[in-house]
Every structure is written in structure tokens, then in C-alpha cells.
Amino acid sequence: MKVAYIEGFAGASGDMFLGAWLDAGAPEHRWREILGGLQLGGYVLIIRRVTKRGITALKVDVESGGEQPHRRLADILQILDKSTLPQAVRERAIQAFRLLAEAEGKVHGTSPEDVHFHEVGAVDAIVDIVGAMAGWYLLGMPECFVSPLEVGGGWTVSAHGPIPVPAPATVELLKGFPVYSSGLWGETVTPTGAAILRTLSRPAGGLRYVADAVGYGAGSRELPVPNVLRIQVGERVSESGKAVQPGGSGIEAGLEMEGSGAAAVEAGGGDRYFVVETNVDDMSPEWAGYLVPRLLEVGALDAWIVPIIMKKGRPGMEIRALCTADRLEAVKEEIFAQSSSIGVREYGVRREALDRRTETVETPYGPVRVKIAYRHERVVNVAPEYEDCRVRAEEHGVPLKWVYQEVVRQVGSKGL
């Protein structure tokens, strides 16, 4: 199972994430291509290598000119909705901005929709968040874990005036994450960095892994320690040293123990998996089309709707979502908020996930990433990355299926 271990011994910010993912191996040309899909002008990317107290790192600056508008959440969601970003990048960016809006709304006593994004609504902050999600995406969308975080201390200046460090919105976003402060270092974890962390990662706990790539992303300031964010990317292993299957289980077979309610916990104290479901016969199908992506945005691993026949012969729908224990309340809240349901069922489930890795294969149409899934060391599925195939098909004016077929042929011929 591919994992990324994020070390925030000097804090975390958007630009530090950009540098760390690129330094860990995310291809810069593809990363720039994805950011181009944001269709947002008015900025220049400057990437250079710097040294922070003896450690070399990539420094990524997003320079924008002119007066920046104070955008609301709806303005940013409109930018993301109109983009041609890969679905996973767009969904994670939307989730990060929603989390930011909820945190700022709670701090200022207003609804998330009414929050004015000041610094966070600027072009550079939008590029920071989308670029961070793009780097994660290009490295195979690893499951992310984070170390205890240095949050700094003292005071900083915001659009509202002086505020304590860490900023109130940062404190909200980092609830549940181990943090510490080494003194008056100023702001080391920014709200943008905290939103990225909250969206992508969880505390590391007893994580065991074997790293095959390391990236260092530099911050702007000089601190008593190297001002870098380190991300190690590799494979998760069990105590015996064997590779762990996907699913966050921490057990060799990748299986979660069966059970119901709070008892549905896997061996070794890892994630719990639940299905939340409800039946409705008085809801517009248009609402259903809106609900499924919303459930994914709040953290459901999967969400789907099944047509059913209910009492008195009424056509209805069964809404279902699969999630981990930490997203259970958020999923239920979204179902109640976005549907006509007045009650849900929840139960623990068993899940088996195939081991998989992402490879890049060269085709006559250009490089394409492909997910290769295994069971008992035998290849059982090959899934070319849709966005890569779409881009290559459009570039060469060929049917999409030709690119798919060529990728599968290449995988077979190379014995990947």
C-alpha cells in the first residue's frame, strides 16, 4: 500500500507542500499541465533549489500581481467547477476550501458561505491548494500520515488585525492532530497548510513503512531548525516487514474484522469501516445527483444510490455510503442535510482491498499512468488513468479506446 509520511517539524504551508511533492518525484511538466486546467491567470510559478540550515529543498513561489479580490466560498467553487482538473484533484481542493470556510465561519460566528476569504482567496493561495492536491495525485494518491506538528507561537497580522499564533482557523483545522510549540517562532502552520493536512492526512500513530522517495519543500523564513516540510513516499509494511494491502488496515491480509457499530474495528487498532444507508420515496432525483458527490467531498470512500420499490408500490431509492469511523458523523450529517431522509441505518462491514501500484508506461501517444492491482502476487486488473488517456487521445486525434488498449498491451508486454 502506497503511503506518504508528512513531517512538520518546521510547520506546514501551501508552498512547502508544492516543493515537497515536486522534490519527491512529481513530474513538473505534468504538474504544470494540471495547474493549467485551473484556467486561472495572473500568476507566475518560480521553482528553485535553496538551502535551509544545511538541507537542500525546493522552493516554489506563486507570484501574482495587482489587487486580489476577497472571494467567498461560492466564488472559489465556481473556479474549481469550471476547471478541467482531474476529478480527484478537484474534489480534494473543494474539500480543503470547504474545511477552511467552516473553520473561518466558526471563528467569526458566521456561515461558511458568508466567509470572506482574504489571504486564502488570493490567486497564490488557490494555486497552493490545487498544486498540493496535484502533487499528491501525480505521486499515486498515497494514503497520507502526518507527524506531530510544530505550530509556532507569538502573533501575526491578518486582515482583521493582530491574531495569536497559531491562527484561530488553524487551531480549528488541526483538532485531533498532535501539535507542539517550541516558542515564539511566528506562524509555522498556516491555515492553507492546515486545510491541506486535514484533507489529505491523519496522525501517523504506529505507522511502519519503507520509503523509496523523499522530498523537501522550503518555507520562506529562517527558523532555529531547517524550515522545510519533509514528505517520504513509500510502501506501508506490517510488524513482520510484509507489505500491507490498501485500506488503512495495518494487517497483512488487508481485512477488517466483522461486527456492528463501534465493535466493527479491525485487528491492530486501525480504521473502522461502516455503511450508512437510508430509504426515501419522496425526494427529487435532482437532489440525488447532487448528494452523491457531496458525500464523497465530506470523506465517504464510496457512495451510491439503488432504485427500490417501497410500501404501497412507490418507486424509491436507497442511498448508501461507505466510510471510516472518523467520517461517520459527517456522512450522516450530509445525508440529513441534502436528502429527505428522517432516519439512517449504520453497520460495520468487512472490506478486502487489492494491493496496487501506479506505473507510468510509454505509448506511441505519450506517457500514461496506469494502476495495476494484484491478489496473491498475481495481476488481476489493469486500469489506465482516464485523465492521461483523455489528454493523449485529444493530442493525437485518436479514439480514447485506442489509448486504453495500447496501455493495456504495453503492460502485458512488459510483464508489469
Side-chain angles (χ1 to χ4, degrees):
M1 184 182 89
K2 196 164 192 178
V3 297
Y5 180 48
I6 302 167
E7 296 177 85
F9 47 77
S13 60
D15 59 339
M16 294 167 80
F17 267 104
L18 302 186
W21 287 128
L22 288 171
D23 197 36
E28 182 183 335
H29 70 286
R30 282 287 295 122
W31 182 75
R32 287 180 179 270
E33 283 179 5
I34 290 176
L35 282 176
L38 191 55
Q39 300 178 5
L40 186 65
Y43 71 92
V44 176
L45 291 168
I46 300 175
I47 302 175
R48 66 189 191 279
R49 191 160 290 280
V50 300
T51 300
K52 293 289 185 178
R53 293 195 174 271
I55 294 180
T56 61
L58 275 188
K59 181 72 178 75
V60 180
D61 290 309
V62 184
E63 295 191 354
S64 57
E67 187 73 16
Q68 292 292 314
H70 292 168
R71 296 180 173 92
R72 285 190 170 95
L73 178 61
D75 301 319
I76 292 176
L77 295 185
Q78 185 177 35
I79 292 172
L80 295 172
D81 287 339
K82 289 182 176 179
S83 73
T84 58
L85 297 170
Q87 182 178 352
V89 174
R90 182 169 54 250
E91 288 177 352
R92 295 308 187 285
I94 288 172
Q95 185 177 355
F97 276 107
R98 286 191 183 280
L99 288 169
L100 267 168
E102 290 169 3
E104 293 282 3
K106 186 171 183 180
V107 168
H108 299 298
T110 187
S111 70
E113 290 73 22
D114 291 331
V115 167
H116 281 271
F117 286 123
H118 298 286
E119 297 89 349
V120 177
V123 168
D124 54 345
I126 296 173
V127 174
D128 278 349
I129 288 180
V130 174
M133 304 311 170
W136 163 81
Y137 171 79
L138 289 171
L139 287 176
M141 298 185 288
E143 186 172 3
C144 297
F145 299 85
V146 64
S147 73
L149 295 159
E150 166 65 68
V151 294
W155 292 81
T156 189
V157 178
S158 74
H160 301 282
I163 55 173
V165 172
T170 299
V171 173
E172 286 295 324
L173 289 163
L174 293 183
K175 284 181 177 178
F177 287 77
V179 300
Y180 63 95
S181 173
S182 298
L184 303 178
W185 287 10
E187 188 174 45
T188 54
V189 179
T190 65
T192 300
I196 295 168
L197 286 166
R198 188 89 204 178
T199 301
L200 290 181
S201 67
R202 56 191 171 110
L207 173 67
R208 293 172 180 264
Y209 64 97
V210 176
D212 53 37
V214 181
Y216 292 88
S220 299
R221 297 166 48 234
E222 294 299 328
L223 299 176
V225 300
N227 187 16
V228 297
L229 180 72
R230 180 164 64 188
I231 300 180
Q232 301 185 54
V233 182
E235 295 292 325
R236 190 172 183 177
V237 297
S238 66
E239 292 187 13
S240 66
K242 294 183 179 181
V244 173
Q245 308 292 325
S249 64
I251 57 176
E252 294 173 18
L255 300 178
E256 286 70 54
M257 303 301 290
E258 292 185 80
S260 61
V265 63
E266 67 192 4
D271 290 341
R272 286 176 279 179
Y273 292 85
F274 293 87
V275 167
V276 182
E277 62 183 28
T278 185
N279 298 346
V280 294
D281 62 3
D282 58 349
M283 190 175 99
S284 168
E286 294 175 330
W287 300 3
Y290 182 75
L291 172 59
V292 170
R294 286 289 302 145
L295 290 170
L296 298 175
E297 287 172 19
V298 301
L301 299 172
D302 199 0
W304 63 101
I305 292 176
V306 181
I308 57 175
I309 300 298
M310 298 180 62
K311 62 185 179 181
K312 300 181 180 180
R314 294 174 182 166
M317 59 186 82
E318 184 176 62
I319 302 165
R320 289 184 177 180
L322 174 69
C323 65
T324 51
D326 64 323
R327 304 313 300 165
L328 184 59
E329 286 304 314
V331 166
K332 290 191 290 186
E333 182 68 27
E334 200 65 22
I335 289 175
F336 286 131
Q338 303 291 352
S339 77
S340 60
S341 172
I342 58 174
V344 298
R345 302 176 293 276
E346 62 183 78
Y347 50 88
V349 295
R350 173 189 177 108
R351 188 175 84 154
E352 179 176 357
L354 295 176
D355 191 12
R356 58 185 179 266
R357 74 174 191 269
T358 300
E359 300 281 351
T360 299
V361 300
E362 292 294 333
T363 76
Y365 311 110
V368 174
R369 285 167 301 144
V370 56
K371 288 180 183 175
I372 306 172
Y374 303 82
R375 193 167 194 269
H376 305 314
E377 301 183 357
R378 180 173 60 87
V379 175
V380 296
N381 194 45
V382 176
E385 178 62 44
Y386 166 75
E387 286 294 335
D388 289 7
C389 292
R390 180 187 63 79
V391 170
R392 301 299 170 234
E394 291 176 354
E395 286 177 345
H396 293 271
V398 299
L400 179 68
K401 65 182 180 181
W402 287 14
V403 183
Y404 266 78
Q405 291 164 355
E406 180 61 28
V407 173
V408 174
R409 190 188 72 78
Q410 291 284 351
V411 170
S413 66
K414 297 180 185 303
L416 296 174

